[in-house]
Amino acid sequence: MKQSKSHIIKSLTNSVLVIFLCLLFNFQKCYSQNTANTFEQEIDKIVSFRPTHYASIDSVFKKYARDSLKMKALFQKSNVVGYNEGESYGLNALGVIYRNLSHYEQSIVTHKRANTIATNANNLEFEIISLNNIGVAYRRMDLVKPALDFHTKALDIARSIENPSETISYNIAVSQNSIGNIYLILEQYELALKQFEKSIEIEKQASNRLGLAINYQNIGYAYEAQGDLDNALRNYKLSLDYNEQINSNLGRVICYNSIGQVYIKQKKYTDAKIIIEKALEKALKINDQFYIAASYINLGWVQKEMKAFTASEENLKKGLQTAKQYNLNLSIVEADKHLSELYKIKEDYESALDHYKESVEVEKTINNDRNLRYVNDVIIQFENEAKNNEIKALANENQVWKTKLERNKKIFWYSMLVLIIIVSVLVALYRNRQLSQEKQILTLEQDMLRSQMNPHFIFNSLNSIKLYIINNEKENAVYYLNKFSKLIRKILVASSEKENTLEDELDTMKLYMNIENIRFSNEIDFQIEVDDNVNASNIKLPSLILQPFLENALWHGLSSKEDDKEIKLHVYRTQDDFIMISIQDNGIGREKAEKINKDKLIKRKSVGIAITKARLANFSKDYTNDYHIDIEDLYDDNNNAIGTNVIVQIPTRSNILRTA
């Protein structure tokens, strides 16, 4: 019974597994069919619209670029309908695939065919791309002369285009990067670094992380060749970071090998071995024979330094065998040199000599005098052409600047004309405003004069003097008549001047109070007190500015009081920027005075104070601060009015002094 149940369960399990596998197979078949259908649709669409720009085609087929079957399909379909750009794109993609598989000769043939099609179509973008790809394949084979020929030709065409597309700008960077690599071969490291820096500027503008990864890798190599291992390592790690961002296994392999070489030179053998083994693992996975050979050679190198001679010999021979199979001359030289050193350590001098001789012979084929002369000639030609192009560009720029200068001259003179008109209008407005202000000041001065020369005041003063004459008080009559004439003269002089000194103002106020005191039977005790820190002869203020306040004190505060009449005028300073003038009377106070003299005196007061405020406002415009007037009602302990205190705060620091 148990066996039967177990058999049933087993049968059911097998059935479910078969069904699952069938479903999975059908799903994969449907998915592949859908993908194929989608790709066919995209080919039909591209062939129908026939875009001529590389970027437009690449945006559709970039995801298929590593699939040789799909790229062959694109080429064949484009060939049938005579779509040149589609043919060239497909062939270039196939050429890159062959190159990454180390089939360099097949890669070159494919790229040359793509170049012929691009030339016939007169499409410079695809022509430049094909030429650079041919140059890269020759560089992988260490054939410097043809590599330089094709890169230089690509650069010449790219530089001849006035407004290059992003694709052409990128290929200019590729060509410059190749020139930099040639400088490295010639051990002209500073010149190489300049080329790589130029290339980096273009790559940064295009935000091309692959180009940045390649250039930082090359910069690292230049620093390493000069013995600057810290800078070399920093740039290799920068390159690795960009390769990580774009998920490039090929870039990782290159950076791992370079970082491993620096670690070996820094005697960090364990770190070097770990990272080179990672490079070898990924190189085998992507099946790039160039970097497989390099990884085996580097691994053998570090094992030699770690005294693991058997493993070192095995890996160096693997690297040498791969390099010979694919004609990788530089790798052959490296492998032979390390094997020569290894056999020397093992005291196998015959093998050491054989490998040394082989490395020398192969190196001669790379760096013979003819090649070096050719490279030098190409570099000189390139630099001369670059200088000529720069001279042409400067000449064109000079012409542009001349045109701009002529235009700017016209703009300048038109601007000057407009500016003159604007300035003239502003000056006229300012002058008009100034005249208006002067008119206002003149009006205020006239109002002030009329206020000071009030007919009622003059009539009463003369009547008071006349009483002295009638009563035969000749001395008093003469005394007050002199005072009156001096006061009138001062008022007339002050009316012609905008400002007066505080000293003259106080003298005038004494005369005014002497005349007014006649009508009060000399009952008013008028006192002037000036603090020691106040220089009255140097302080300026508007002429006759204090008279309205004294008049208010007399006729509002003291006229209705019977006896003990006092007015104290106190000049003091609490701040450097102000002078304080206090006019204090012991009269009946403002509230009671308003009730007594409502109809007549308020009107007279308001006019005098209003004129005074306007004059102080005009005066303050030339000073850093504004004037202030505070009126304080004085009371005794029983809250009875005992007088009024007017404090006039007048600025003393002018704008001119402040600016200085």
Side-chain angles (χ1 to χ4, degrees):
M1 184 73 179
K2 287 182 180 179
Q3 288 177 353
S4 176
K5 187 175 181 181
S6 174
H7 179 72
I8 292 168
I9 293 170
K10 187 175 181 181
S11 298
L12 287 170
T13 304
N14 289 335
S15 299
V16 170
L17 182 60
V18 169
I19 292 168
F20 175 75
L21 290 172
C22 289
L23 289 171
L24 181 61
F25 175 76
N26 287 330
F27 173 76
Q28 288 177 334
K29 186 176 180 181
C30 291
Y31 178 77
S32 299
Q33 189 174 359
N34 288 335
T35 304
N37 290 338
T38 302
F39 179 72
E40 288 295 332
Q41 290 170 1
E42 287 176 339
I43 289 181
D44 292 338
K45 189 176 180 181
I46 283 291
V47 168
S48 174
F49 285 102
R50 296 185 176 224
T52 57
H53 290 291
Y54 177 85
S56 301
I57 304 172
D58 190 55
S59 64
V60 177
F61 294 110
K62 186 176 183 179
K63 55 190 172 188
Y64 308 119
R66 295 184 181 180
D67 190 327
S68 59
L69 293 176
K70 286 186 170 59
M71 291 299 99
K72 283 179 182 178
L74 172 61
F75 163 70
Q76 289 167 356
K77 186 66 176 284
S78 299
N79 180 259
V80 169
V81 299
Y83 175 38
N84 292 322
E85 283 76 15
E87 288 183 79
S88 185
Y89 184 92
L91 287 171
N92 275 320
L94 286 169
V96 172
I97 293 170
Y98 295 143
R99 186 180 75 212
N100 290 338
L101 293 172
S102 303
H103 300 153
Y104 300 119
E105 291 181 359
Q106 191 176 1
S107 173
I108 290 167
V109 170
T110 307
H111 286 308
K112 283 184 176 180
R113 190 175 174 189
N115 180 55
T116 301
I117 294 169
T119 304
N120 292 336
N122 197 26
N123 191 312
L124 296 180
E125 272 193 349
F126 282 90
E127 192 176 345
I128 293 165
I129 291 165
S130 303
L131 291 169
N132 268 330
N133 278 322
I134 296 167
V136 171
Y138 275 122
R139 281 174 51 211
R140 286 285 191 91
M141 297 174 70
D142 300 319
L143 298 174
V144 176
K145 182 181 181 302
L148 272 171
D149 284 337
F150 285 101
H151 282 304
T152 304
K153 189 174 181 181
L155 187 60
D156 289 343
I157 296 170
R159 287 188 181 278
S160 69
I161 299 170
E162 289 187 5
N163 297 309
S165 63
E166 287 187 10
T167 301
I168 292 174
S169 295
Y170 167 71
N171 275 273
I172 290 173
V174 171
S175 300
Q176 287 178 331
N177 182 277
S178 299
I179 298 294
N181 279 303
I182 293 160
Y183 279 127
L184 291 180
I185 293 170
L186 293 172
E187 300 181 2
Q188 299 294 321
Y189 302 116
E190 292 299 326
L191 294 174
L193 286 170
K194 287 180 181 178
Q195 292 299 321
F196 297 139
E197 292 294 342
K198 287 179 184 177
S199 185
I200 279 177
E201 288 179 11
I202 297 173
E203 305 295 9
K204 282 183 177 178
Q205 288 175 0
S207 299
N208 181 17
R209 289 178 289 182
L210 173 59
L212 289 169
I214 293 169
N215 278 285
Y216 281 119
Q217 167 69 24
N218 288 331
I219 289 172
Y221 180 82
Y223 280 123
E224 183 183 353
Q226 294 179 92
D228 189 348
L229 298 181
D230 290 334
N231 263 327
L233 191 60
R234 181 174 61 82
N235 281 282
Y236 287 148
K237 287 182 177 179
L238 268 174
S239 177
L240 179 60
D241 182 52
Y242 281 112
N243 281 305
E244 294 287 0
Q245 291 177 35
I246 61 177
N247 194 27
S248 170
N249 278 326
L250 177 60
R252 291 187 182 102
V253 170
I254 297 169
C255 291
Y256 289 159
N257 271 306
S258 298
I259 292 169
Q261 288 176 346
V262 173
Y263 283 154
I264 293 171
K265 292 176 181 178
Q266 291 179 333
K267 301 187 186 302
K268 299 176 181 178
Y269 302 127
T270 303
D271 293 339
K273 183 173 179 293
I274 291 169
I275 200 164
I276 291 169
E277 285 174 344
K278 286 172 67 177
L280 179 60
E281 180 186 349
K282 290 193 178 294
L284 290 168
K285 187 179 292 184
I286 62 177
N287 198 30
D288 190 313
Q289 300 302 320
F290 183 89
Y291 292 106
I292 289 173
S295 300
Y296 274 127
I297 292 167
N298 284 330
L299 185 58
W301 178 15
V302 72
Q303 287 168 337
K304 179 188 68 177
E305 300 297 333
M306 297 175 76
K307 313 298 183 188
F309 298 130
T310 303
S312 173
E313 183 179 3
E314 180 183 349
N315 286 310
L316 287 171
K317 284 184 175 180
K318 284 182 181 178
L320 180 60
Q321 181 183 355
T322 305
K324 285 182 176 180
Q325 183 180 350
Y326 292 95
N327 297 318
L328 307 174
N329 291 335
L330 285 175
S331 296
I332 292 170
V333 172
E334 287 295 314
D336 276 327
K337 284 182 178 179
H338 288 302
L339 281 168
S340 177
E341 290 174 6
L342 176 64
Y343 286 129
K344 187 177 178 181
I345 293 169
K346 294 173 71 175
E347 298 181 355
D348 184 354
Y349 298 113
E350 185 178 353
S351 297
L353 182 60
D354 289 341
H355 282 287
Y356 175 75
K357 285 180 178 179
E358 185 177 50
S359 71
V360 170
E361 288 301 319
V362 175
E363 198 166 21
K364 281 181 181 178
T365 64
I366 300 171
N367 294 326
N368 60 44
D369 290 340
R370 184 187 302 172
N371 275 342
L372 290 178
R373 281 198 301 272
Y374 171 78
V375 169
N376 277 316
D377 290 343
V378 170
I379 290 171
I380 291 168
Q381 182 183 354
F382 167 75
E383 289 181 342
N384 287 338
E385 190 164 343
K387 286 177 181 177
N388 288 333
N389 290 334
E390 189 176 349
I391 290 168
K392 288 179 183 177
L394 287 171
N396 291 333
E397 188 178 352
N398 186 40
Q399 187 60 41
V400 170
W401 278 109
K402 279 184 179 178
T403 305
K404 286 184 178 179
L405 186 60
E406 291 297 326
R407 186 185 63 189
N408 289 340
K409 280 183 180 178
K410 290 180 181 178
I411 293 172
F412 171 76
W413 288 115
Y414 286 137
S415 300
M416 287 299 295
L417 181 62
V418 172
L419 184 62
I420 289 168
I421 293 170
I422 292 172
V423 170
S424 300
V425 171
L426 290 175
V427 168
L429 290 173
Y430 173 76
R431 183 59 184 158
N432 188 48
R433 183 180 175 184
Q434 195 176 33
L435 289 171
S436 177
Q437 189 175 352
E438 288 177 358
K439 182 180 178 183
Q440 182 184 4
I441 293 170
L442 182 60
T443 302
L444 289 172
E445 298 297 336
Q446 289 173 346
D447 290 341
M448 179 270 295
L449 180 60
R450 282 195 295 269
S451 175
Q452 315 307 329
M453 297 288 290
N454 189 294
H456 186 69
F457 161 71
I458 295 173
F459 180 76
N460 287 335
S461 299
L462 290 173
N463 273 340
S464 299
I465 295 170
K466 185 173 72 173
L467 285 175
Y468 285 123
I469 297 171
I470 292 170
N471 293 331
N472 202 25
E473 297 180 28
K474 294 180 182 179
E475 290 183 2
N476 284 334
V478 172
Y479 175 77
Y480 284 109
L481 190 59
N482 286 334
K483 295 282 186 182
F484 180 75
S485 64
K486 285 183 181 180
L487 176 62
I488 295 301
R489 186 168 62 252
K490 279 187 172 289
I491 290 173
L492 291 171
V493 171
S495 66
S496 64
E497 297 177 357
K498 294 181 180 179
E499 295 178 359
N500 198 6
T501 65
L502 177 60
E503 186 177 28
D504 287 340
E505 180 74 5
L506 295 177
D507 288 341
T508 304
M509 291 306 102
K510 284 181 185 178
L511 290 170
Y512 171 74
M513 287 302 298
N514 281 335
I515 300 300
E516 287 283 26
N517 215 355
I518 298 173
R519 287 183 286 166
F520 287 89
S521 302
N522 293 319
E523 294 177 351
I524 299 173
D525 181 13
F526 177 65
Q527 300 176 17
I528 295 177
E529 180 183 353
V530 180
D531 284 2
D532 294 336
N533 63 345
V534 176
N535 188 348
S537 61
N538 287 338
I539 296 171
K540 297 286 186 177
L541 72 168
S543 303
L544 304 172
I545 203 72
L546 300 178
Q547 186 272 337
F549 300 108
L550 290 172
E551 185 178 4
N552 281 342
L554 285 169
W555 296 104
H556 287 253
L558 300 177
S559 63
S560 300
K561 190 176 181 181
E562 295 182 357
D563 54 8
D564 188 25
K565 302 174 182 180
E566 293 181 357
I567 296 178
K568 293 181 180 178
L569 194 155
H570 183 202
V571 182
Y572 58 98
R573 190 192 290 275
T574 57
Q575 318 178 37
D576 292 338
D577 295 347
F578 290 98
I579 192 72
M580 316 292 287
I581 301 174
S582 168
I583 300 171
Q584 181 177 331
D585 66 72
N586 64 344
I588 60 175
R590 287 190 298 168
E591 185 178 352
K592 192 173 180 181
E594 284 176 2
K595 291 178 182 179
I596 296 173
N597 303 303
K598 185 175 181 182
D599 294 333
K600 183 178 179 181
L601 294 179
I602 283 187
K603 183 177 180 181
R604 185 179 179 186
K605 171 196 169 186
S606 61
V607 171
I609 295 298
I611 294 170
T612 299
K613 287 182 177 180
R615 293 180 67 216
L616 282 170
N618 273 306
F619 172 79
S620 299
K621 288 178 182 177
D622 294 331
Y623 290 80
T624 57
N625 298 294
D626 203 357
Y627 79 96
H628 293 284
I629 296 176
D630 294 322
I631 301 176
E632 180 184 1
D633 294 311
L634 305 176
Y635 298 94
D636 61 13
D637 295 338
N638 297 321
N639 205 30
N640 295 319
I642 58 172
T644 306
N645 186 25
V646 178
I647 301 173
V648 183
Q649 192 174 8
I650 298 174
T652 58
R653 185 182 292 272
S654 70
N655 288 323
I656 297 173
L657 289 174
R658 188 178 186 184
T659 303

